[in-house]
Amino acid sequence: MRDCIFCKIVNKQIPSKIIYEDEIAVAFEDVNPQAPVHALIIPKKHIPTLADFSEEDYGIIPHIFKIANRIAKEKGIAERGYRIVNNCNAESGQTVFHIHFHLLGGRQMHWPPG
Ligand code: 5GP
Ligand code: ZN
């Protein structure tokens, strides 16, 4: 989608530190990391939010989680612990409207989230 920053990352129109890529998804380092490990995992398909998923899109979710687990193992946080976050729409704090899952780890997390 034109003017979508994450589509531009998918299409390599803007630079990013890509950690993993396949035909369905891309994972890259968050430009403003909130933890020692902060990756964003996104489908290549432009879907604005989780609430916009259609029936055919749900297969993306297990794929994303598989990638998250793989990255967590590679980054050495699988045993220590990590968090996967999806912000959906404005009240959750979503700022980029191309669905993405945050993989956060490498420090003690707190609950409840802000
Ligand atoms: P949200 O608040 O929508 O859940 O998260 C958006 C995330 O995207 C933020 O953590 C922000 O730092 C990250 N982000 C925004 N623009 C860019 C960018 O151009 N490159 C990268 N790598 N991350 C970005
Ligand atoms: Zn997009």
Side-chain angles (χ1 to χ4, degrees), residues 17-22 25-30 36-42 63-79 81-84 101-106:
K17 290 184 186 159
I18 291 181
I19 305 164
Y20 175 88
E21 180 170 10
D22 61 28
V26 182
F28 52 95
E29 308 277 1
D30 195 294
V37 175
H38 189 173
L40 298 173
I41 310 163
I42 71 171
H63 191 71
I64 298 264
F65 273 66
K66 201 169 167 181
I67 295 166
N69 277 352
R70 178 185 164 137
I71 294 170
K73 286 194 182 98
E74 285 171 1
K75 299 273 190 187
I77 57 169
E79 302 301 325
Y82 56 96
R83 186 175 288 177
I84 295 169
F101 291 79
H102 300 256
L103 170 65
L104 296 147

Side-chain angles (χ1 to χ4, degrees), residues 5-6 9 14-17 28-34 38 40 85-88 92-98 100 102:
I5 197 152
F6 286 178
I9 285 175
I14 61 167
S16 68
K17 290 184 186 159
F28 52 95
E29 308 277 1
D30 195 294
V31 78
N32 183 22
Q34 301 302 311
H38 189 173
L40 298 173
V85 174
N86 170 252
N87 294 321
C88 179
S92 76
Q94 185 175 3
T95 57
V96 177
F97 286 83
H98 178 133
H100 50 279
H102 300 256

